[in-house]
């Protein structure tokens, strides 16, 4: 155990908090890869749709597999995922067919 009270051991952190933190990290990384943190996402040096697809798909798998454990966090996390999926579709030059976008094999089609 560390002497620093700001740092907790992983064993002390509830699973729902670990899952939620992971989901937030995936959401933040996907938003960066979509260029959403820049004024003009299309010109963002961080924009990488291939990387964004991977992050959104990983997030969708995590959210789908753990939704029953997230309690009141489930709705906002699912909303964030859907927002990223829609932003990806909007950013794509040739958008995937509904049901074939990032993570949609886990969430179903996103409109």
């Amino acid at each position: 155990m560390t002497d620093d009270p700001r740092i907790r051991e992983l064993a002390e952190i509830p699973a729902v908090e670990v899952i939620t933190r992971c989901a937030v990290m995936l959401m933040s990384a996907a938003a960066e890869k979509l260029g959403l943190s820049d004024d003009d996402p299309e010109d963002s040096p961080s924009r990488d749709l291939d990387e964004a697809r991977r992050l959104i798909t990983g997030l969708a798998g995590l959210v789908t597999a753990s939704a029953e454990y997230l309690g009141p966090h489930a709705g906002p996390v699912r909303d964030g995922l859907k927002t990223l999926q829609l932003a990806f579709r909007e950013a794509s030059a040739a958008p995937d067919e509904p049901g074939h976008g990032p993570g949609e094999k886990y969430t179903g089609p996103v409109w």
Side-chain angles (χ1 to χ4, degrees):
M1 185 110 169
T2 181
D3 292 332
D4 188 341
R6 297 172 296 168
I7 299 172
R8 294 189 286 172
E9 296 291 326
L10 281 177
E12 296 175 17
I13 302 172
V16 68
E17 187 175 333
V18 174
I19 294 166
T20 303
R21 283 185 185 187
C22 185
V24 169
M25 181 179 284
L26 288 166
M27 279 187 225
S28 297
E32 286 292 328
K33 296 298 183 178
L34 288 169
L36 298 178
S37 64
D38 291 318
D39 291 334
D40 185 0
E42 290 183 30
D43 290 333
S44 172
S46 301
R47 189 171 183 152
D48 185 334
L49 296 183
D50 189 46
E51 287 286 300
R53 177 183 295 278
R54 293 173 183 164
L55 291 162
I56 293 167
T57 299
L59 174 63
L62 175 65
V63 170
T64 301
S66 59
E68 68 182 288
Y69 307 117
L70 295 177
H73 303 287
V77 172
R78 275 194 286 247
D79 290 345
L81 169 59
K82 182 176 181 178
T83 298
L84 289 167
Q85 288 172 309
L86 292 171
F88 182 93
R89 178 166 284 124
E90 200 172 289
S92 299
D96 299 309
E97 291 293 319
H100 298 282
E104 291 183 7
K105 69 181 176 183
Y106 301 112
T107 63
V110 175
W111 311 97

